[in-house]
Amino acid sequence: QVQLVESGGGLVQPGGSLRLSCVASGFTFSSATMSWYRQAPGTGRELVAGISSTGGRTSYADSVKGRFTISRDNAKNIVYLQMNSLNHEDTAVYYCNAVQGSRALYAWGQGTLVTVSS
């Protein structure tokens, strides 16, 4: 069955950096467009970044453009999210998923919590 396992979250000060990882299994990762989403307390899930199956194309929400970088390693079935210059508004649980258009394809993993606080 499909598994999406996110990790790398934690507590970081404003201006700090974190790198999130998502290990995927149960589907053909190398053929899948992958995205990172986040959900802050009391809000809906927000699309943060996406990457094409080969990694040749990436896209970002305006709120993270220039600060976050999505990448992938198809040999290891991992998608990464490098997050720099973090601010309080980045506090959320972060999730990854395979997508088709704007639709997430699989059940959500447990996510990884990012807390930006001084």
Side-chain angles (χ1 to χ4, degrees):
Q1 72 277 19
V2 172
Q3 282 195 307
L4 299 163
V5 181
E6 301 91 349
S7 63
L11 175 63
V12 62
Q13 292 188 339
S17 298
L18 283 174
R19 188 175 83 152
L20 308 183
S21 299
C22 168
V23 180
S25 60
F27 63 98
T28 307
F29 181 82
S30 60
S31 297
T33 298
M34 297 295 295
S35 290
W36 281 97
Y37 296 77
R38 67 185 180 187
Q39 187 167 19
T43 70
R45 197 167 277 138
E46 171 193 19
L47 178 63
V48 173
I51 186 167
S52 63
S53 59
T54 62
R57 287 182 286 113
T58 58
S59 60
Y60 299 92
D62 286 344
S63 58
V64 307
K65 205 170 289 184
R67 300 187 298 120
F68 290 11
T69 303
I70 188 171
S71 61
R72 65 191 295 159
D73 184 338
N74 283 350
K76 296 181 180 178
N77 284 15
I78 301 177
V79 59
Y80 301 100
L81 188 67
Q82 177 67 43
M83 307 187 297
N84 299 328
S85 302
L86 286 161
N87 58 55
H88 294 104
E89 288 70 38
D90 298 316
T91 294
V93 179
Y94 285 71
Y95 304 86
C96 70
N97 212 319
V99 299
Q100 190 168 51
S102 60
R103 185 169 66 96
L105 294 179
Y106 302 116
W108 299 98
Q110 84 288 348
T112 187
L113 175 62
V114 173
T115 302
V116 183
S117 176
S118 53

